[in-house]
Amino acid sequence: MATAIETGTETIAVDELRAMLVERRPVTILDVRAAADRAEWAIPGSRHVDAYEALKAGDPAALAGVELPVGEPVVTVCGAGKASLTAMALLRARGIDARSLAGGMKAWSLAWNGAEVPVPGSAATVVQVRRTGKGCLSYLIGNAGEAAVIDAALDPEVYQGLAAERGWRIAHVLDTHVHADHLSRSRLLAKRAGATLHLPAQDRVAYPFAPLRYGDALAIGASHLVALLTPGHTIESTSYLLDGTALFTGDTLFLAGVGRPDLEASAEEAATRARLLSRSLRELTALAAGTLVLPGHTSEPVPFDERPIAATLGDVVERVPMLRMTEDAFVEIILARIPPTPPNHAAIVAFNETGELPEGDPTDLEAGANRCAVS
Ligand SMILES: [Fe+2]
């Protein structure tokens, strides 16, 4: 159908909007998608008007009832950056300084923010790097000029920039497991930074790495990172304990749930992994209650608030009843509560096993919310 309204071309790139939010510059973000799409994932602090159908139909009154703050720039957002151009044009016709987010929520998938995590009992500084557009959490750990990165899910330049700002040299890059929800950037980061790539010992990946086995320790300046094999989510899943006080749990343990044991597994294998997961979690929850849990994902878009997503182990055990069940009850419950299988997980695993990245836009494969947790 021909549209009755101009669409215009004034766009804003993800990086520019990201910078505005990091710097807390005034901006109103207007999400014009259908309610069901917004429910999947959204930009923190954005406003919503369910105008997608009206915009697509070229209805000049699509945003008629929407009141916006005077004198504040507006960024319109949709799924892929098309309907938001129409929304932007309607707002500009009202004299509002509006731009459309180029590439929409798909491009926003790569947006990130950071938070420094205070870790009592460790001399290391930990930066939680949050891929807010997708919920992946990665970590930069620095001590005495040296640094390690865990679960790199963003372009290497992000981690290299954060390390350079602090005068750190990235010496180690680690993954907690072979990821199924995002393309690991760890191999590329290790190569660019001249760092050693460490992965849990396994025969899944087809490229060279330094294998980590149970109890292996890496030095980061005066700090130590110890590998604890915690199979279940995947067979090679490994958690890393920093200076005996902060635990990077990957997709084994989240703040409000546990990892799913079923991806790339038959029903029988999923049941075996669920049992392994129960045992791994029993071992982790036996650590000191004050241990800080730093997970590999969150199921909510991460606000630009510099507040770490972390909790003590004691709090997590209290919050997640599954952690207090018998092994049999745990296995039964987790298998009954498996969420829908995320899109493209098999293709993402295949890339992570070969160590290649797809040509072109990685967000084509990575689109969609994280569904790594069972709670
Ligand atoms: Fe995972």
Side-chain angles (χ1 to χ4, degrees), residues 112-184:
W112 63 278
N113 60 50
E116 280 208 11
V117 188
V119 183
S122 170
T125 300
V126 174
V127 183
Q128 186 176 57
V129 183
R130 299 97 70 88
R131 188 169 163 185
T132 172
K134 195 161 166 63
C136 306
L137 305 177
S138 47
Y139 297 90
L140 174 69
I141 307 160
N143 187 336
E146 215 169 49
V149 174
I150 298 178
D151 285 339
L154 289 155
D155 283 343
E157 298 85 68
V158 171
Y159 305 97
Q160 291 178 289
L162 290 167
E165 278 170 22
R166 290 163 175 81
W168 298 341
R169 181 185 75 84
I170 298 174
H172 308 288
V173 178
L174 308 87
D175 271 346
T176 52
H177 64 291
V178 177
H179 293 281
D181 67 296
H182 69 267
L183 298 158
S184 172

Side-chain angles (χ1 to χ4, degrees), residues 176-182 233-234 236-237 250-252 254 259-260 263 296-297 370 372:
T176 52
H177 64 291
V178 177
H179 293 281
D181 67 296
H182 69 267
H233 170 62
T234 64
E236 77 288 350
S237 283
D251 292 357
T252 295
F254 303 108
R260 60 189 297 164
L263 293 179
H297 287 115
N370 256 306
C372 294

Side-chain angles (χ1 to χ4, degrees), residues 54-143:
L55 289 165
K56 224 173 69 177
D59 178 356
L63 300 178
V66 181
E67 302 271 346
L68 292 162
V70 180
E72 190 167 296
V74 174
V75 173
T76 58
V77 181
C78 68
K82 273 194 179 156
S84 58
L85 282 172
T86 310
M88 177 269 292
L90 285 176
L91 296 179
R92 290 185 90 87
R94 279 159 59 177
I96 294 166
D97 170 19
R99 283 189 286 169
S100 160
L101 182 65
M105 288 304 290
K106 186 167 160 290
W108 184 253
S109 163
L110 287 169
W112 63 278
N113 60 50
E116 280 208 11
V117 188
V119 183
S122 170
T125 300
V126 174
V127 183
Q128 186 176 57
V129 183
R130 299 97 70 88
R131 188 169 163 185
T132 172
K134 195 161 166 63
C136 306
L137 305 177
S138 47
Y139 297 90
L140 174 69
I141 307 160
N143 187 336

Side-chain angles (χ1 to χ4, degrees), residues 286-309:
L287 294 169
T291 306
L292 198 64
V293 177
L294 294 164
H297 287 115
T298 171
S299 53
E300 300 285 327
V302 186
F304 285 69
D305 59 2
E306 294 175 46
R307 283 168 58 179
I309 295 168

Side-chain angles (χ1 to χ4, degrees), residues 316-332:
V316 175
V317 171
E318 205 163 290
R319 204 183 293 167
V320 183
M322 289 174 82
L323 297 174
R324 306 190 301 270
M325 289 176 183
T326 63
E327 186 173 303
D328 286 343
F330 177 95
V331 170
E332 195 184 318

